[in-house]
Amino acid sequence: MIVIKVISIRESREYLDEGLKYIQDIWASENSMMVYDDCIKSSLDAKGTLPQWYLLYDGDSIIGCAGLITNDFISRMDLYPWICALYIEKSHRGRGFGELLLSKAKDDAKKGGFKNLYLCTDHIGYYEKYGFEYVATGYHPWGESSRIYSFNLE
């Protein structure tokens, strides 16, 4: 029997080291390793709902991750919270596992009193399946743009 579970690093600190390494391996460059290190470690003692970092496990193996943060390096600082760093291992894609991470982030954002949840991406068609709607284009500090999506939590 396959046991798929979503773990909040903040709620289950024993997953910090393994989770941090996984997220850095997936998302960080040599120059951004400390961004993830500081953000994830600082989230453990944050006073508010944000930030949160999640791991998706299949048994004892991490097969995905995501974050719930205040801004995803995008120009629309008036919008928050943001889902970031959503990733599912290629061998596990196509089975709806991303929705598990999205649902956990939606639940935590709603518990935090937020009315909407945002994400930025270049993907078209994926997030719409889970109720997200395109709202605008946003701009990153490195000169690129991304589509901004919103999910109504009410």
Side-chain angles (χ1 to χ4, degrees):
M1 182 171 135
I2 297 174
V3 178
I4 305 294
K5 60 185 174 184
V6 177
I7 300 292
S8 163
I9 294 174
R10 192 172 180 182
E11 294 168 2
S12 301
R13 294 171 185 230
E14 66 272 20
Y15 292 90
L16 173 64
D17 292 338
E18 184 178 19
L20 177 58
K21 181 181 181 334
Y22 180 84
I23 293 167
Q24 285 175 320
D25 287 348
I26 297 298
W27 290 107
S29 68
E30 186 177 318
N31 294 329
S32 65
M33 295 292 276
M34 289 309 296
V35 171
Y36 289 95
D37 184 272
D38 189 42
C39 183
I40 294 169
K41 287 179 179 175
S42 296
S43 75
L44 299 177
D45 297 315
K47 299 211 186 301
T49 305
L50 307 173
Q52 291 273 353
W53 291 91
Y54 310 111
L55 302 170
L56 184 66
Y57 275 82
D58 178 355
D60 293 332
S61 300
I62 301 175
I63 61 167
C65 62
L68 180 62
I69 59 175
T70 57
N71 187 276
D72 198 8
F73 303 107
I74 194 131
S75 57
R76 293 298 305 270
M77 303 240 178
D78 58 316
L79 305 176
Y80 62 92
W82 294 80
I83 292 175
C84 72
L86 178 67
Y87 182 82
I88 301 296
E89 291 291 333
K90 290 178 184 171
S91 61
H92 286 75
R93 292 180 187 169
R95 297 190 242 170
F97 292 147
E99 184 177 15
L100 298 173
L101 290 163
L102 291 171
S103 292
K104 177 65 171 153
K106 288 174 183 178
D107 289 346
D108 284 350
K110 189 170 186 170
K111 286 177 193 170
F114 297 102
K115 295 182 182 350
N116 293 291
L117 181 59
Y118 302 92
L119 60 84
C120 58
T121 186
D122 294 330
H123 295 290
I124 298 172
Y126 179 76
Y127 294 100
E128 292 89 340
K129 293 187 295 188
Y130 303 111
F132 285 85
E133 296 180 2
Y134 172 77
V135 294
T137 298
Y139 302 92
H140 299 285
W142 50 89
E144 295 177 8
S145 64
S146 288
R147 297 171 59 84
I148 296 173
Y149 286 84
S150 175
F151 181 86
N152 185 318
L153 295 166
E154 297 182 305

